């Protein structure tokens, strides 16, 4: 794992935790890397606080929260055997859900999503994800489904997202 955490990675708490899990980083080393991230985050936040005339203690508090979240997610991914996107890729499940919802009246969408999303939420919770995290992932899938509800999106849209056009049904 690279010791330098770039500014673009600071907002990628999930990615940092997931990478540590996928690389098989042991818990003591994961805690080290989470602290290392906190130091980098704190520097950036302290500079911003200084420029904004805000108390520097806020930077310390926020950086510590991010450290804790990195390690919480790493621990969660380790116990669950992966991250939600390992079990339920948002693109794939959003497409399936969107195609299932074709022709459903807008007023009935929430009820129509439940039979698809409830088992995903239940499985994630069974794997150890808190209800809030499981619901959040289901919301990601539901958000992706909107692109597929009327018809397959244009290939140009998918290319912009780094995806290929869907195969013929």
């Amino acid at each position: 794992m690279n010791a330098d955490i770039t500014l673009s990675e600071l907002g990628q708490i999930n990615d940092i935790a997931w990478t540590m899990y996928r690389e098989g980083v042991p818990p003591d080393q994961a805690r080290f890397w989470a602290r290392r991230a906190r130091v980098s985050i704190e520097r950036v936040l302290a500079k911003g606080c200084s420029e904004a005339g805000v108390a520097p203690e806020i930077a310390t508090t926020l950086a510590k929260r991010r450290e804790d979240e990195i390690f919480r997610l790493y621990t969660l991914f380790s116990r669950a055997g992966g991250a939600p996107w390992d079990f339920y890729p948002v693109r794939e499940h959003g497409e399936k859900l969107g195609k299932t919802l074709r022709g459903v009246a807008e007023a009935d969408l929430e009820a129509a999503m439940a039979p698809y999303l409830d088992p995903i939420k239940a499985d994630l919770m069974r794997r150890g994800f808190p209800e809030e995290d499981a619901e959040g992932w289901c919301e990601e899938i539901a958000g992706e489904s909107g692109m597929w509800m009327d018809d397959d999106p244009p290939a140009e849209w998918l290319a912009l997202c780094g995806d290929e056009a869907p195969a013929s049904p």
Side-chain angles (χ1 to χ4, degrees):
M1 183 164 231
N2 187 346
D4 297 325
I5 297 174
T6 67
L7 185 58
S8 65
E9 291 173 319
L10 295 180
Q12 302 300 322
I13 302 301
N14 283 334
D15 290 341
I16 294 169
W18 184 74
T19 299
M20 289 192 301
Y21 160 73
R22 296 302 279 186
E23 289 185 9
V25 174
D28 61 331
Q29 288 295 310
R31 178 54 81 182
F32 167 81
W33 287 109
R35 284 190 184 123
R36 181 94 176 182
R38 183 186 90 202
V39 170
S40 296
I41 293 166
E42 191 169 352
R43 283 185 194 139
V44 171
L45 292 173
K47 182 179 179 193
C49 286
S50 174
E51 291 171 357
V54 177
E57 296 80 23
I58 292 174
T60 303
T61 301
L62 292 174
K64 176 65 174 135
R65 286 183 188 161
R66 288 193 177 162
E67 172 191 350
D68 292 344
E69 183 65 4
I70 290 169
F71 194 71
R72 181 190 79 80
L73 288 171
Y74 161 81
T75 302
L76 183 58
F77 298 163
S78 295
R79 286 185 186 146
W85 50 87
D86 292 323
F87 306 116
Y88 300 101
V90 74
R91 162 65 165 73
E92 174 187 335
H93 287 276
E95 179 181 351
K96 286 179 186 176
L97 178 58
K99 288 179 176 181
T100 301
L101 297 173
R102 287 181 181 170
V104 174
E106 190 170 337
D108 300 327
L109 282 177
E110 189 119 356
M113 286 184 199
Y116 190 90
L117 295 175
D118 287 351
I120 292 173
K121 177 182 168 186
D123 181 57
L124 290 172
M125 290 173 60
R126 182 186 57 74
R127 293 176 186 269
F129 290 92
E131 184 174 6
E132 182 178 300
D133 291 347
E135 283 178 1
W137 193 248
C138 288
E139 288 173 14
E140 291 286 329
I141 292 170
E144 178 75 10
S145 72
M147 185 165 68
W148 297 91
M149 289 201 307
D150 295 325
D151 200 359
D152 290 351
E156 299 82 34
W157 289 10
L158 297 174
L160 288 173
C161 299
D163 292 326
E164 294 180 18
S168 299

